[in-house]
């Protein structure tokens, strides 16, 4: 019986699925004219009796299993799976390599905090064998949506894929509803009456593609192109209409930055989203030119021109030499959560990730909720109302500022002088 086959990968997948769903018995034909085993020749059964009954009926009581004229075989799925693997060692090596590569990519994406949806999309595209592809992801920002585009490329020496970089783009405006996409609907000049439609997950990609059109085109958003809401319209390559609430998003260029990663190491997606929104992120796994690890707060320098790769330069505030540490900075303020060690630990981790966590403090004798963020450049903690409006940090200090203390002391000295004059 010859089980070497170019369909080995599909047969193995089919048999492994059978194991998972509890169908451990298989009957198959292997006719000489077929030359090799193919997936459609396998019949799977839950019970042994059903498999043997099918075997008898297929043989028509004229041929025994294994008969050279019309060979029909029964195997336990585990047994056939092992025989297929032994007969197709090269295919198995390739499958194992591909599976290992897929698992590595999935683990890297998890470490970088990509969404489950993005990880599943990457798997689907890897399984298609595309030489290179992108995967879109989104995060909600404080002032708009952060679009993420991960770039995958297949090695020129093997089938392995690599995730070397991802780009983030901060756009103003509301995020899309769950399950919705952006659509560019363009009139088909070759087939009048039929439109060409291209969908996008990220608004920045959609706007860029739309602006590159030369004919009649529409930019819309919704569950599908047929029922999408129009956001912009173009006639003969000229934009003639932009929906009022979409104008700021359409007219304002997105702030962008590309982050490079190596085997899942680098800034995570949420850290990158915080950086592009102007916040600072703490990393304790950075390496200097000599390969020595160090810790520092990182902030994008958005006040200076971008480099030739259209990326912002970064400012670094080394820890502890710069003089800013998270715990010491927090302990200067009246923050209720600092009294609970677990909440303090969680609060520190959130701030160091570049987030704006919500805390409880006191203003005018009453407890209030405020967002806070690290400002390592100024060795401070910033406070914000829930609508994003900043609050003066001095009013939440445990100890009054030195200037306030000096002013009070001067007042007391003046009172003493006045008393002495009397």
């Amino acid at each position: 019986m010859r089980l070497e086959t170019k369909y080995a990968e599909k047969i193995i997948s089919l048999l492994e699925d059978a194991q998972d769903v509890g169908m451990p018995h298989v009957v198959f034909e292997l006719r000489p004219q077929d030359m090799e085993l193919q997936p459609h020749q396998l019949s799977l059964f839950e019970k042994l009796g059903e498999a043997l009954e099918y075997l008898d009926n297929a043989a028509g009581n004229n041929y025994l299993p294994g008969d050279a004229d019309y060979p029909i075989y029964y195997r336990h799925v585990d047994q056939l799976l092992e025989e297929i693997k032994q007969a197709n060692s090269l295919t198995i090596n390739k499958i194992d390599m591909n599976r290992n590569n897929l698992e590595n990519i999935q683990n890297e994406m998890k470490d970088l905090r990509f969404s489950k949806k993005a990880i599943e999309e990457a798997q689907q595209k890897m399984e298609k064998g595309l030489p290179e592809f992108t995967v879109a992801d989104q995060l909600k920002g404080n002032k708009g949506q952060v679009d993420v585009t991960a770039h995958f490329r297949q090695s020129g020496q093997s089938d392995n894929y690599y995730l070397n970089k991802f780009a983030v783009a901060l756009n103003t405006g509301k995020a899309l509803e769950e399950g919705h996409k952006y659509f560019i609907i363009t009139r088909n000049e070759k087939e009048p009456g039929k439109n060409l439609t291209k969908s996008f997950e990220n608004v920045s990609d959609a706007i860029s593609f739309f602006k590159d059109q030369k004919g009649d085109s529409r930019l819309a958003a919704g569950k599908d192109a047929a029922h999408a809401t129009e956001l912009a319209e173009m006639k003969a390559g000229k934009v003639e209409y932009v929906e009022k609430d979409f104008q700021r998003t359409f007219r304002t260029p997105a702030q962008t930055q590309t982050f490079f990663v190596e085997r899942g190491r680098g800034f995570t997606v949420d850290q990158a989203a915080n950086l592009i929104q102007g916040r600072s992120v703490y990393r304790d796994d950075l390496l200097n030119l000599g390969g020595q690890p160090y810790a520092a707060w990182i902030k994008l320098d958005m006040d200076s021109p971008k480099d030739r790769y259209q990326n912002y330069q970064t400012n670094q505030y080394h820890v502890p030499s710069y003089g800013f540490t998270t715990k010491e900075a927090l302990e200067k303020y009246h923050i209720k959560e600092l009294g609970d060690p677990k909440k303090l630990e969680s609060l520190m981790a959130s701030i160091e990730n570049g987030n704006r966590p919500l805390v409880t403090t006191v203003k005018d004798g009453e407890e209030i909720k405020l967002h806070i963020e690290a400002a390592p450049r100024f060795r401070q903690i910033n406070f914000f109302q829930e609508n994003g409006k900043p609050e003066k940090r001095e009013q939440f200090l445990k100890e009054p500022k030195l200037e306030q203390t000096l002013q009070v002391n001067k007042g007391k000295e003046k009172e003493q002088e006045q008393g002495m004059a009397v």
Side-chain angles (χ1 to χ4, degrees):
M1 180 172 58
R2 181 174 174 267
L3 293 178
E4 184 179 349
T5 171
K6 64 183 177 184
Y7 303 102
E9 189 169 352
K10 292 183 179 179
I11 292 173
I12 289 170
S13 177
L14 180 63
L15 294 175
E16 288 180 338
D17 287 344
Q19 287 177 319
D20 292 339
V21 299
M23 299 185 75
H25 306 286
V26 58
V27 175
F28 60 98
E29 305 170 3
L30 195 59
R31 304 181 184 185
Q33 61 266 33
D34 291 331
M35 300 299 295
E36 58 185 342
L37 186 63
Q38 300 181 36
H40 72 268
Q41 296 170 329
L42 304 178
S43 298
L44 296 157
F45 301 91
E46 181 180 358
K47 297 179 181 179
L48 176 60
E50 294 174 345
L52 295 179
E53 182 180 357
Y54 179 85
L55 183 69
D56 289 339
N57 291 334
N61 296 320
N62 295 319
Y63 302 98
L64 295 174
D67 189 303
D69 294 327
Y70 195 150
I72 305 174
Y73 299 89
Y74 161 79
R75 289 287 190 278
H76 193 279
V77 165
D78 294 346
Q79 181 184 354
L80 181 58
L81 194 56
E82 186 60 33
E83 291 176 2
I84 292 289
K85 289 181 178 181
Q86 289 180 359
N88 299 271
S89 57
L90 292 179
T91 300
I92 298 309
N93 289 339
K94 180 181 177 181
I95 292 172
D96 289 343
M97 288 175 62
N98 291 344
R99 284 180 177 172
N100 290 338
N101 181 222
L102 175 59
E103 289 177 1
N104 290 338
I105 290 293
Q106 289 174 328
N107 289 334
E108 288 177 12
M109 293 184 74
K110 287 177 184 176
D111 290 341
L112 293 170
R113 311 278 182 85
F114 279 90
S115 68
K116 182 179 178 182
K117 175 173 171 270
I119 295 173
E120 290 174 350
E121 183 181 344
Q123 177 179 345
Q124 292 169 3
K125 291 185 175 180
M126 286 177 66
E127 290 173 347
K128 290 180 180 178
L130 302 175
E132 59 182 298
F133 61 87
T134 61
V135 169
D137 211 348
Q138 298 82 33
L139 291 89
K140 185 178 180 181
N142 291 107
K143 295 181 179 180
Q145 174 175 297
V146 179
D147 293 331
V148 184
T149 306
H151 296 262
F152 296 82
R153 183 182 292 274
Q154 197 171 41
S155 168
Q157 309 300 320
S158 69
D159 292 333
N160 284 354
Y161 284 92
Y162 297 93
L163 168 59
N164 295 323
K165 65 181 180 180
F166 64 88
V168 295
L170 174 61
N171 298 281
T172 58
K174 298 186 298 182
L176 278 178
E177 294 181 35
E178 184 71 25
H180 284 210
K181 291 183 179 181
Y182 292 98
F183 297 94
I184 310 300
I185 305 163
T186 305
R187 189 172 67 183
N188 190 340
E189 300 294 344
K190 295 182 179 180
E191 296 184 50
K194 292 186 179 181
N195 292 325
L196 301 174
T197 303
K198 187 174 179 63
S199 65
F200 294 87
E201 299 277 353
N202 294 344
V203 64
S204 52
D205 294 339
I207 291 174
S208 178
F209 187 85
F210 175 74
K211 288 181 176 179
D212 286 340
Q213 301 308 300
K214 305 301 181 184
D216 294 352
S217 188
R218 292 184 294 124
L219 168 58
K223 285 188 175 181
D224 55 63
H227 303 91
T229 301
E230 186 173 290
L231 300 175
E233 184 177 12
M234 175 185 293
K235 294 286 187 181
K238 182 180 178 181
V239 177
E240 293 195 347
Y241 165 78
V242 179
E243 195 267 335
K244 182 179 178 181
D245 292 337
F246 190 65
Q247 287 184 6
R248 185 180 176 190
T249 301
F250 188 81
R251 308 289 184 195
T252 306
Q255 288 181 291
T256 62
Q257 184 81 359
T258 298
F259 294 86
F260 292 88
V261 296
E262 183 178 359
R263 297 181 181 179
R265 291 186 69 254
F267 288 102
T268 62
V269 168
D270 48 343
Q271 288 174 339
N274 287 329
L275 286 167
I276 199 62
Q277 293 179 85
R279 298 201 283 274
S280 302
V281 169
Y282 174 74
R283 291 272 303 273
D284 61 2
D285 59 349
L286 300 169
L287 299 176
N288 61 23
L289 293 176
Q292 299 299 314
Y294 69 95
W297 286 87
I298 310 295
K299 189 176 189 297
L300 298 184
D301 184 3
M302 295 181 173
D303 296 324
S304 301
K306 287 188 169 186
D307 63 19
R308 59 178 177 168
Y309 303 107
Q310 294 305 301
N311 279 327
Y312 293 108
Q313 300 287 347
T314 59
N315 292 328
Q316 296 192 10
Y317 309 100
H318 292 239
V319 176
S321 59
Y322 190 77
F324 177 84
T325 59
T326 312
K327 187 176 181 182
E328 290 178 1
L330 288 171
E331 287 178 341
K332 295 177 183 178
Y333 300 94
H334 287 287
I335 297 176
K336 187 176 182 179
E337 286 76 9
L338 301 185
D340 186 325
K342 288 186 178 179
K343 289 183 179 179
L344 171 60
E345 183 179 354
S346 176
L347 186 59
M348 288 177 58
S350 183
I351 290 175
E352 290 175 352
N353 203 49
N355 299 328
R356 276 188 177 179
L358 197 64
V359 299
T360 310
T361 186
V362 177
K363 182 179 181 181
D364 299 329
E366 295 184 1
E367 281 194 357
I368 60 171
K369 294 286 187 180
L370 294 176
H371 289 281
I372 61 172
E373 74 174 28
R377 177 184 176 185
F378 304 104
R379 302 178 180 87
Q380 298 288 357
I381 297 293
N382 290 334
F383 289 76
F384 300 87
Q385 296 177 13
E386 294 193 50
N387 62 7
K389 184 179 179 180
E391 285 272 3
K392 291 184 178 180
R393 69 175 74 90
E394 291 79 9
Q395 59 191 321
F396 308 114
L397 284 167
K398 289 181 179 178
E399 299 295 335
K401 291 183 68 176
L402 179 60
E403 294 89 336
Q404 293 173 328
T405 303
L406 291 175
Q407 191 65 35
V408 172
N409 289 340
K410 285 181 181 179
K412 289 182 178 180
E413 290 173 2
K414 189 173 183 180
E415 289 176 3
Q416 290 173 353
E417 288 174 356
Q418 290 173 343
M420 290 175 65
V422 170

